[in-house]
Amino acid sequence: MSPYIYILVMAITTYLIRMIPLVFFRKEIKNRFIRSFLAYVPCACLTAMTFPAILYSTNAVISGAVALTVALITALCKRSLVTVAALSCAAVFATELIIRLL
């Protein structure tokens, strides 16, 4: 099959996924449960996509887990995004050095 057919099928699928809710749900959603559910969907999708990448983007899963732990702790301490990222990178670097020495 031609790559253009694949691209066309993906474009149509992507368009339909975005178009169908707009066509069928024209009124404002007033149900409080559904509104709160829809508010959390982007966070859940982002978490599902990034969590495996955090663990498996380093040489060892343990260094990814250490960086995730450092990131969670610094984020809970209300540090800036740059601080969280820098400390997580430092944690990966230190953990990889320790693993290499052992």
Side-chain angles (χ1 to χ4, degrees), residues 41-58:
V41 168
C43 296
C45 290
L46 183 62
T47 303
M49 289 187 302
T50 57
F51 185 73
I54 291 169
L55 294 179
Y56 296 110
S57 64
T58 60

Side-chain angles (χ1 to χ4, degrees), residues 17-28:
I17 289 171
R18 287 174 168 78
M19 189 253 330
I20 288 174
L22 291 174
V23 170
F24 290 115
F25 301 112
R26 291 184 183 247
K27 294 187 216 172
E28 181 181 352

Side-chain angles (χ1 to χ4, degrees), residues 1 13 22 24 29 33 38-39 45 47 51 59 86 93 95:
M1 274 181 126
T13 305
L22 291 174
F24 290 115
I29 298 172
F33 175 75
L38 292 174
C45 290
T47 303
F51 185 73
N59 289 335
F93 182 72
T95 306

Side-chain angles (χ1 to χ4, degrees), residues 87-98:
L87 289 175
S88 297
C89 290
V92 168
F93 182 72
T95 306
E96 293 284 335
L97 280 177
I98 291 170

Side-chain angles (χ1 to χ4, degrees), residues 60-95:
V61 175
I62 189 71
S63 60
V66 169
L68 178 63
T69 304
V70 169
L72 288 174
I73 291 170
T74 54
L76 288 173
C77 292
K78 307 232 184 217
R79 302 292 179 201
S80 71
L81 182 62
V82 173
T83 305
V84 171
L87 289 175
S88 297
C89 290
V92 168
F93 182 72
T95 306

